[in-house]
């Protein structure tokens, strides 16, 4: 297994170097200093900012220096906008994002698997069709519609008309063990909306996987040996259908860290998605550069992890 | 059959997996239980103990709390509560200068070159660990000099150096010397134009007797900071604010919220007197706490809103003191035709206020362009034709609910030199297609084609690629192409737009200018030839007579004589037509019944200390 992991890691090093190279080159096509500093800045001001970021040095030197910082996890460079170390900005944004994305992923996966199992169990029946219609309907509505209606009917309306204020219209407060209710107040509504939005996609995918799995020869054998239909479906089929489910979940993992731009923006949650979009809008070069480097690394590591998991559960992957 | 063995190890122990799921659901249930109606209860309890004012801030809010590094309106809002400038504008009359950290307005010498300042005694910095014993010390002359010198320090990338550039005797040389390679910036090095008389009195010697210098001293970037704080906190000073302002920084979560608490040691500052308010303001009871000591509230909580809906819902729910009215909710609050507050909103005790911003939104021409530029009569006629074809009122209706102010010339509403009713006799305001076509003939481009060669006139219009600009460009295209001219909008990112303007490559371009201070001189500077691109004169307008008048107004005091010169300059610009315009935004504010003394203005943000709350009306 270790040689397999080492081989995967080695393959991905040039990929990562290439990503960083492309990102750095793209960010310098238009002068980032001019873009950031605005229309009335003097040349002296621009030069001072260029010097402070080392942007007046040869590209190769900038590339080498940035790589060294990434390797040593040195993100002490300060954001142009927030004037704080980029590392601390990213670190403080990860938790709010994960407070939404992890529960949303767990809930979506659990609910989608349950619904898809039920639908597959009664495949072709009216129940199956109603469930799938609901799934298609759910995924056809724009996220913005969910957010706007969710804020109004989930937070504003109950408070104004019924005096029940379970969810906040917007905002975020740090979540600690002693203040778990903050999670319910500030994160649960975004989580519910995310779940409602994504559950349609996942249910349809998982149902297709389970239906395909249910047509395998081992299912016929199990039934021939006297296993009941529920046992076949909820034990044997479910376990084997988990391989594509895990793949699907693993692919989602890097995006847990990036958070949801729309959700974080509308709900005023200081997460990674909002940090990134703010940095892009305000041309905050150090944050964009560091964020891209970190995200690329997470993406590559998750890919390697997925391959390793594959190899663990399916020896044929290693052989091939 | 073999596939039955292919399963992840974690799933082989399905009991563990199930237990984890159940635990998660249980955790959700437990954490949900005590929260029903909890937020409202908590906030009511808090409100009874202290007077708390909740206010919104659009976008992500401030990016820094260091005056020397700030530039946006949001930084202005935040910094103006924590720090103070030497001068400010009156809340009752935002055109009028008044002292803030001074004992009175500065005395000007007869030649206008020397200003003598007297600091208010007993003004103390906030308590902070940068001071001995953690107690804030008194503000002195050295703090003023230190704060001004910071703008010349390379460390802050000269972000706000433009405010002082060329203004104070010896300061430019000081900047050059102190920023020389390898030299450590010495704040103690003398500057010829900064003369200390004693700890509370000083003189500033100007290079030219310009009146605008006093306006510069109202700008939050020139707020006074204590040297000890910068030396102790270093780069972290951007979020460890220590000023003399009415509020002390409690907690700042960038992009999220900013909480300030009342400064217990705030120097004596009183609410404007009854006489200071005009009739209408008095009718609205704004003079009610006249002469009382401020601030009134104990706590001020700002929440940043990147999106309009949450801010609007929070205001509707009565959780914000005021809100600007987002464009998409305008018709929900106001009658579109009369612009009056809808009765159902007014019945809830909500009041409205209209603030006309000092904006100048325009479509500029490059006066050095081979086709559109120049002061020759036929070139002027071509630009006037385009101006006459443009319908600014249609743009205003379509994109701004018709609430913007459309006016002739570059001088915003309410400033000296703004034309009465927004219109001048020589106006080229469109749409007047007949006159526009006649002007095109005069220009040698009848029906948009060159009279000699038959060549089609093509105008390339550069603007930044936002959705609004894209839509407005399409409307402009339709309006201008009625003349037979081909109008080609070029949507580029902002840095490319600047590059094109700086290099004088954009024949026509869309920009906007927000006045730095309420004096038309700030707008008229946009046409002064030494400011040509890459300076702020992106039109590259150059007329010797205009330049001479501009130099003349710099040293003139406000008054009818100066206003007359402003009007001459304005009319010159209208006639030469280096741009199509103008338009200025109007901001509509709504105020909750529980907020008192509130009349929002965006000209300065030192007025938040005058606000009060009546918790019984929440």
């Amino acid at each position: 297994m270790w040689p397999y992991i080492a081989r995967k890691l080695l393959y991905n090093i040039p990929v990562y170097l290439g990503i960083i190279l492309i990102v750095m080159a793209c960010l310098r096509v238009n002068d980032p200093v001019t873009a950031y500093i605005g229309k009335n800045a003097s040349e002296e001001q621009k030069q001072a900012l260029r010097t402070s970021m080392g942007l007046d040095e040869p590209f190769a030197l900038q590339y080498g220096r940035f790589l060294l910082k990434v390797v040593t996890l040195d993100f002490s460079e300060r954001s142009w906008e927030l004037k704080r170390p980029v590392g601390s900005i990213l670190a403080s944004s990860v938790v709010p994002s994960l407070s939404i994305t992890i529960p949303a992923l767990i809930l979506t996966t659990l609910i989608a698997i349950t619904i898809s199992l039920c639908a597959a169990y009664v495949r072709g029946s009216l129940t199956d069709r109603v469930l799938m219609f609901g799934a298609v309907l759910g995924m056809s509505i724009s996220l913005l519609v969910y957010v706007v209606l969710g804020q109004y009917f989930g937070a504003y309306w109950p408070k104004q008309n019924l005096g029940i204020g379970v969810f906040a219209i917007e905002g975020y407060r740090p979540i600690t063990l002693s203040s778990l209710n903050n999670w319910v107040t500030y994160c649960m509504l975004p989580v519910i909306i995310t779940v409602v939005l994504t559950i349609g996609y996942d249910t349809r995918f998982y149902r297709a996987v389970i239906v395909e799995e249910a047509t395998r020869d081992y299912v016929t054998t199990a039934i021939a040996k006297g296993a009941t239909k529920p046992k076949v479906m909820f034990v044997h089929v479910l376990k084997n259908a988990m391989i594509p489910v895990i793949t699907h979940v693993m692919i989602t993992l890097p995006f847990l860290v990036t958070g949801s731009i729309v959700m974080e923006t509308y709900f005023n949650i200081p997460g990674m998605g909002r940090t990134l979009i703010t940095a892009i809008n305000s041309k905050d070069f150090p944050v964009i550069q560091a964020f891209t480097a970190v995200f690329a690394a997470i993406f590559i590591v998750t890919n390697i992890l997925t391959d390793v998991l594959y190899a663990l559960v399916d020896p044929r992957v290693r052989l091939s | 059959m073999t596939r039955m063995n292919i399963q992840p190890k974690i799933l082989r122990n399905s009991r563990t997996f199930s237990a984890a799921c159940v635990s998660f659901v249980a955790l959700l249930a437990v954490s949900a239980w005590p929260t029903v109606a909890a937020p409202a209860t908590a906030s009511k309890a808090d409100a009874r103990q202290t007077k708390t004012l909740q206010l919104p801030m659009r976008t992500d809010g401030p990016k820094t709390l260091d005056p020397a590094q700030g530039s946006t309106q949001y930084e202005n809002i935040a910094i103006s509560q924590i720090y103070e400038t030497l001068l400010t504008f009156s809340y009752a009359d935002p055109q009028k200068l008044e002292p803030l950290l001074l004992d009175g307005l500065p005395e000007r010498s007869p030649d206008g070159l020397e200003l003598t300042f007297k600091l208010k005694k007993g003004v103390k910095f906030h308590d902070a660990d940068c001071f001995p014993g953690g107690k804030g010390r008194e503000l002195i002359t050295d703090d003023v000099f230190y704060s001004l010198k910071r703008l010349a320090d390379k460390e802050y990338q000269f972000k706000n150096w433009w405010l002082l550039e060329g203004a104070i005797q010896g300061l430019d040389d000081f900047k050059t010397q102190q920023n020389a390679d390898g030299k450590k910036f010495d704040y103690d090095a003398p500057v010829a134009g900064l003369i200390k008389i004693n700890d509370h009195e000083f003189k500033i010697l100007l290079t030219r007797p310009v009146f605008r210098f006093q306006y510069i001293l109202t700008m939050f970037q020139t707020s006074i900071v204590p040297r000890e704080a910068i030396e102790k906190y270093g780069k972290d000073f951007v979020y460890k604010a220590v000023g003399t302002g009415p509020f002390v920084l409690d907690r700042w979560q960038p992009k999220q919220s900013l909480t300030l608490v009342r400064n217990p040691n705030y120097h004596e500052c009183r609410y404007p007197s009854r006489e200071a308010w005009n009739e209408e303001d008095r009718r609205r009871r704004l003079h009610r706490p006249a002469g009382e000591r401020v601030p009134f509230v104990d706590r001020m909580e700002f929440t940043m809103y990147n999106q309009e809906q949450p801010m609007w819902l929070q205001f509707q729910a009565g959780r914000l003191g005021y809100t600007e009215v987002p464009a998409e909710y305008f018709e929900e609050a106001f009658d579109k035709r009369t612009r009056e507050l809808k009765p159902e909103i007014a019945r809830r005790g909500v009041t409205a206020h209209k603030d006309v911003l000092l904006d100048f939104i325009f479509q500029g021409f490059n006066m050095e362009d081979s086709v559109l530029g120049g002061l020759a009569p036929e070139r002027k006629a071509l630009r006037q034709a385009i101006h006459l074809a443009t319908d600014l009122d249609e743009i205003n209706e379509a994109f701004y609910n018709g609430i913007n102010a459309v006016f002739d010339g570059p001088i915003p509403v309410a400033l000296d030199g703004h034309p009465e009713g927004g219109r001048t006799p020589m106006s080229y305001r469109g749409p007047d297609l007949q006159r526009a076509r006649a002007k095109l003939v005069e220009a040698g481009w009848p029906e948009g084609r060159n009279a000699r060669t038959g060549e089609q006139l093509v105008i390339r219009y550069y603007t930044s690629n936002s959705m609004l600009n894209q839509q407005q460009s399409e409307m402009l295209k339709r309006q201008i192409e009625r003349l037979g001219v081909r109008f080609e909008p070029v949507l580029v990112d902002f840095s490319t737009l600047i590059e094109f303007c700086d290099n004088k490559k954009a024949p026509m371009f869309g920009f906007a200018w927000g006045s730095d201070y309420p004096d038309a001189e700030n707008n008229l500077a946009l046409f002064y030839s030494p400011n040509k691109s890459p300076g702020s004169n992106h039109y590259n307008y150059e007329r010797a007579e205009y330049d001479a008048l501009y130099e003349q107004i710099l040293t003139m005091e406000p008054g009818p004589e100066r206003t007359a010169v402003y009007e001459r300059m304005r009319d010159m610009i209208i006639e030469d037509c280096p741009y199509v315009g103008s338009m200025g935004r109007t901001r509509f504010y709504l105020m909750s019944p529980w907020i008192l003394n509130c009349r929002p203005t965006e000209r300065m943000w030192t007025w938040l200390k005058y606000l009060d709350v009546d918790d019984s009306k929440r």
Side-chain angles (χ1 to χ4, degrees):
Chain A
M1 180 52 69
W2 287 111
Y4 175 80
I5 295 172
R7 202 165 62 233
K8 280 278 168 193
L9 276 172
L10 277 175
Y11 287 160
N12 277 292
I13 288 173
V15 174
Y16 189 65
L17 294 179
I19 292 171
I20 299 294
L21 184 72
I22 292 167
V23 167
M24 287 185 69
C26 287
L27 286 174
R28 285 159 176 79
V29 171
N30 284 330
D31 181 12
V33 170
T34 309
Y36 169 71
I37 215 163
K39 64 177 188 277
N40 297 316
S42 66
E43 193 46 48
E44 187 185 32
Q45 256 179 289
K46 291 179 187 172
Q47 194 49 44
L49 192 55
R50 258 181 223 121
T51 311
S52 75
M53 272 300 290
L55 285 167
D56 50 353
E57 289 172 341
F59 181 73
L61 191 62
Q62 292 180 45
Y63 180 64
R65 194 166 283 165
F66 184 64
L67 271 182
L68 186 69
K69 284 187 173 178
V70 171
V71 171
T72 55
L73 296 178
D74 173 12
F75 295 110
S76 56
E77 215 152 43
R78 288 191 178 239
S79 149
W80 285 354
E81 277 290 282
L82 296 173
K83 317 283 187 276
R84 292 180 172 209
V86 172
S88 84
I89 292 174
L90 297 186
S92 64
S93 307
V94 165
V95 176
S97 280
L98 293 182
S99 314
I100 309 288
T101 51
I102 289 180
L105 176 70
I106 294 171
L107 281 175
T108 308
T109 308
L110 289 178
I111 298 170
I113 289 173
T114 310
I115 296 175
S116 53
L117 264 174
C118 296
Y121 185 73
V122 292
R123 179 164 41 122
S125 69
L126 182 66
T127 312
D128 178 27
R129 285 176 195 186
V130 168
L131 286 173
M132 285 309 104
F133 176 77
V136 173
L137 188 73
M139 59 195 257
S140 308
I141 299 170
S142 159
L143 169 59
L144 282 173
V145 175
Y146 283 119
V147 171
V148 169
L149 295 181
Q151 276 184 333
Y152 191 85
F153 291 107
Y156 173 73
W157 191 86
K159 173 74 186 148
Q160 292 303 104
N161 297 288
L162 310 171
I164 302 170
V166 181
F167 305 131
I169 294 170
E170 51 74 38
Y172 180 82
R173 297 280 180 278
I175 298 154
T176 58
L177 276 177
S178 58
S179 60
L180 276 176
N181 56 348
N182 276 351
W183 184 85
V184 176
T185 309
Y186 297 103
C187 300
M188 199 150 154
L189 186 57
V191 167
I192 292 172
I193 292 172
T194 311
V195 169
V196 172
L197 179 79
T198 50
I199 208 163
Y201 295 97
D202 289 6
T203 305
R204 291 189 72 216
F205 174 68
Y206 297 152
R207 180 190 170 276
V209 167
I210 293 164
V211 165
E212 195 195 345
E213 203 58 37
T215 60
R216 305 277 182 210
D217 288 346
Y218 72 84
V219 174
T220 317
T221 308
I223 290 167
K225 287 178 80 174
T228 60
K229 199 181 170 190
K231 190 178 177 188
V232 170
M233 187 58 84
F234 295 108
V235 178
H236 301 301
V237 170
L238 176 61
K239 282 181 181 175
N240 286 303
M242 274 297 162
I243 295 161
V245 171
I246 285 177
T247 313
H248 184 69
V249 171
M250 289 300 285
I251 290 169
T252 322
L253 287 185
F255 297 98
L256 295 185
V257 175
T258 58
S260 163
I261 292 169
V262 175
M263 209 61 85
E264 289 173 7
T265 307
Y266 267 85
F267 282 96
N268 211 8
I269 293 165
M272 286 290 253
R274 195 166 152 205
T275 301
L276 181 63
I277 200 71
T278 314
I280 291 171
N281 286 339
S282 55
K283 317 283 190 290
D284 194 349
F285 174 81
V287 176
I288 301 170
Q289 191 166 268
F291 187 97
T292 322
V294 170
F295 182 71
I298 293 172
F299 201 84
I300 285 174
V301 168
T302 317
N303 269 346
I304 296 172
L305 212 63
T306 311
D307 288 347
V308 171
L309 272 179
Y310 256 151
L312 274 176
V313 298
D314 188 350
R316 289 172 302 178
V317 172
R318 239 175 311 170
L319 291 175
S320 64
Chain B
M1 290 291 281
T2 49
R3 289 201 113 218
M4 287 187 77
N5 297 323
I6 305 170
Q7 50 188 268
K9 273 182 191 167
I10 188 171
L11 294 171
R12 288 190 191 141
N13 192 349
S14 57
R15 277 184 196 162
T16 316
F17 188 65
S18 309
C21 300
V22 171
S23 309
F24 179 75
V25 174
L27 177 67
L28 272 187
V30 168
S31 54
W33 183 253
T35 61
V36 178
T41 318
S43 64
K44 272 185 184 168
D46 289 344
R48 267 195 294 275
Q49 288 159 12
T50 55
K51 277 189 178 181
T52 304
L53 173 59
Q54 293 88 359
L55 296 174
M57 218 187 262
R58 288 288 281 119
T59 75
D60 281 331
K63 306 287 190 284
T64 175
L65 295 180
D66 179 358
Q69 298 188 61
S71 60
T72 66
Q73 171 168 269
Y74 309 104
E75 280 138 22
N76 190 356
I77 297 172
I79 288 170
S80 297
Q81 314 317 314
I82 304 167
Y83 294 95
E84 288 179 308
T85 46
L86 296 176
L87 296 166
T88 188
F89 291 99
S90 160
Y91 183 35
D93 177 7
Q95 301 280 88
K96 194 178 150 201
L97 270 178
E98 67 177 23
L100 185 55
L101 285 174
L102 298 176
D103 220 8
L105 290 175
E107 283 171 26
R108 280 184 99 195
S109 63
D111 62 2
L113 284 170
E114 190 180 296
L115 295 171
T116 306
F117 298 80
K118 202 180 269 184
L119 284 174
K120 201 170 173 179
K121 285 191 178 155
V123 176
K124 286 193 171 167
F125 286 108
H126 302 159
D127 292 345
D129 59 1
C130 59
F131 299 114
K135 299 297 283 177
R137 64 161 171 81
E138 190 172 0
L139 171 92
I140 53 168
T141 298
D142 293 339
D143 297 311
V144 178
F145 291 175
Y146 177 78
S147 303
L148 295 178
K149 284 175 180 174
R150 282 184 83 218
L151 303 189
D153 191 344
K154 194 179 179 180
E155 172 74 24
Y156 309 109
Q157 280 121 26
F158 309 121
K159 193 160 184 179
N160 291 305
W161 168 245
W162 62 277
L163 293 170
L164 298 182
E165 189 171 18
I168 299 173
Q169 287 180 29
L171 192 61
D172 288 49
D173 292 338
F174 168 82
K175 173 177 167 269
T176 312
Q177 287 157 14
Q178 297 304 323
N179 291 304
D181 285 342
K183 187 166 170 35
K184 193 175 179 298
F185 199 97
D186 178 11
Y187 280 96
D188 296 321
V191 173
L194 299 176
I195 301 167
K196 180 176 174 177
I197 301 169
N198 57 44
D199 273 353
H200 291 95
E201 284 177 84
F202 61 93
K203 283 181 197 288
I204 293 183
L205 306 183
L206 303 178
T207 52
R208 283 193 299 170
V210 291
F211 190 79
R212 72 164 173 222
F213 185 73
Q214 299 194 45
Y215 294 133
I216 300 290
L217 297 180
T218 67
M219 294 172 72
F220 76 95
Q221 294 96 327
T222 60
S223 297
I224 312 305
V225 298
R227 186 172 184 166
E228 297 92 321
I230 289 127
E231 288 178 351
K232 181 169 172 73
Y233 305 133
K235 288 192 169 170
D236 292 343
F237 180 67
V238 292
Y239 46 93
K240 288 194 172 177
V242 183
T244 58
F247 294 95
V248 179
L249 176 66
D250 180 37
R251 187 179 164 83
W252 177 34
Q253 289 179 285
K255 300 182 283 178
Q256 185 73 22
S257 61
L258 176 79
T259 308
L260 308 170
V261 291
R262 178 200 186 104
N263 174 8
N265 305 319
Y266 188 54
H267 56 93
E268 191 178 318
C269 186
R270 295 190 180 271
Y271 195 87
S273 66
R274 185 190 161 89
E275 296 71 42
W277 298 94
N278 64 33
E279 191 85 3
E280 195 198 327
D281 290 336
R282 281 207 291 266
R283 213 173 26 245
R284 293 167 64 188
R285 310 282 300 151
L286 278 166
H287 65 285
R288 195 188 46 90
E292 285 182 34
R293 207 168 159 174
V294 295
F296 298 117
V297 299
D298 303 294
R299 203 173 159 79
M300 201 180 272
E301 295 174 352
F302 290 98
T303 306
M304 287 68 170
Y305 293 96
N306 235 318
Q307 292 297 325
E308 289 163 349
Q309 158 147 319
M311 182 173 81
W312 184 246
L313 291 180
Q314 291 284 35
F315 178 77
Q316 295 279 54
R319 291 186 198 131
L320 293 174
Y322 64 68
T323 179
E324 54 183 80
V325 183
E328 63 185 87
Y329 293 99
F330 185 80
E331 287 181 54
E332 204 173 300
F334 292 92
D335 182 296
K336 198 177 179 213
R337 195 177 51 81
T338 61
R339 316 252 189 278
E340 292 294 327
L341 197 59
K342 285 188 169 172
E344 60 269 30
I345 306 266
R347 267 198 297 273
R348 281 167 29 205
V350 171
T351 49
H353 176 69
K354 192 170 84 171
D355 186 34
V356 182
L357 306 189
L358 300 180
D359 275 345
F360 168 44
I361 304 170
F362 59 86
Q363 286 80 39
F365 295 109
N366 174 10
M367 296 291 282
E368 291 184 11
D369 185 73
S370 57
V371 178
L372 295 167
L375 290 172
E378 66 276 11
R379 299 289 179 82
K380 244 194 254 186
L382 177 56
R383 293 192 298 273
Q384 288 163 352
I386 294 164
H387 203 307
L388 284 163
T390 310
D391 186 350
L392 293 174
D393 291 319
E394 189 187 15
I395 294 174
N396 189 15
E397 278 299 326
F399 300 104
Y400 303 101
N401 290 307
I403 60 171
N404 281 357
V406 177
F407 55 90
D408 293 341
I411 302 178
V413 180
L415 297 189
D416 289 346
H418 179 79
E420 210 177 316
R423 224 176 239 281
T424 55
M426 80 272 290
S427 174
Y428 290 101
R429 184 130 28 115
D432 187 343
L433 292 182
Q434 203 181 349
R435 205 170 149 213
R437 288 194 180 105
K439 282 282 177 191
L440 264 192
V441 173
E442 213 178 292
W445 293 91
E447 299 297 321
R449 291 194 171 271
N450 189 300
R452 281 184 295 110
T453 62
E455 182 199 350
Q456 166 84 62
L457 174 60
V458 181
I459 298 172
R460 285 172 75 80
Y461 170 69
Y462 286 74
T463 189
S464 57
N465 52 6
S466 69
M467 180 58 79
L468 182 68
N469 281 341
Q470 192 177 340
Q471 292 165 339
Q472 289 194 4
S473 302
E474 285 307 314
M475 186 172 275
L476 271 176
K477 183 178 165 70
R478 178 176 56 73
Q479 292 176 352
I480 292 172
E481 288 195 342
R482 288 182 294 196
L483 297 179
V485 173
R486 205 161 86 214
F487 187 82
E488 289 181 358
V490 185
L491 295 147
V492 291
D493 63 69
F494 193 63
S495 60
T496 311
L497 175 66
I498 295 165
E499 205 178 303
F500 269 88
C501 291
D502 281 355
N503 298 330
K504 306 178 180 177
K505 283 181 185 163
M508 195 175 173
F509 53 91
F511 261 166
W513 180 263
S515 299
D516 300 305
Y517 41 84
D519 187 339
E521 175 270 316
N522 192 242
N523 286 59
L524 294 170
L526 299 176
F527 303 92
Y528 181 51
S529 70
N531 291 343
K532 280 203 304 193
S533 287
S536 56
N537 177 0
H538 289 297
Y539 326 86
N540 304 305
Y541 180 76
E542 185 170 1
R543 188 165 163 178
E545 193 188 348
Y546 182 91
D547 287 350
L549 288 175
Y550 179 75
E551 280 158 20
Q552 187 187 329
I553 58 165
L554 279 178
T555 56
M556 292 173 83
E557 295 222 16
E561 203 183 323
R562 193 184 70 166
T563 306
V565 184
Y566 279 5
E567 285 168 356
R568 268 180 72 196
M569 295 171 78
R570 176 199 72 201
D571 293 348
M572 228 179 254
I573 295 289
I574 293 173
E575 183 56 28
D576 290 341
C577 204
Y579 66 88
V580 175
S582 311
M583 206 186 274
R585 288 169 300 167
T586 304
R587 193 94 76 207
F588 280 76
Y589 278 90
L590 290 184
M591 292 160 284
S592 289
W594 52 264
I595 191 168
L596 305 175
N597 319 332
C598 186
R599 193 200 54 187
T601 173
E602 295 187 15
R603 298 200 188 168
M604 81 297 188
W605 288 94
T606 46
W607 54 272
L608 297 183
K609 66 184 172 201
Y610 298 117
L611 299 180
D612 197 357
V613 296
D614 180 353
D615 286 324
S616 67
K617 289 186 180 167
R618 279 187 195 254

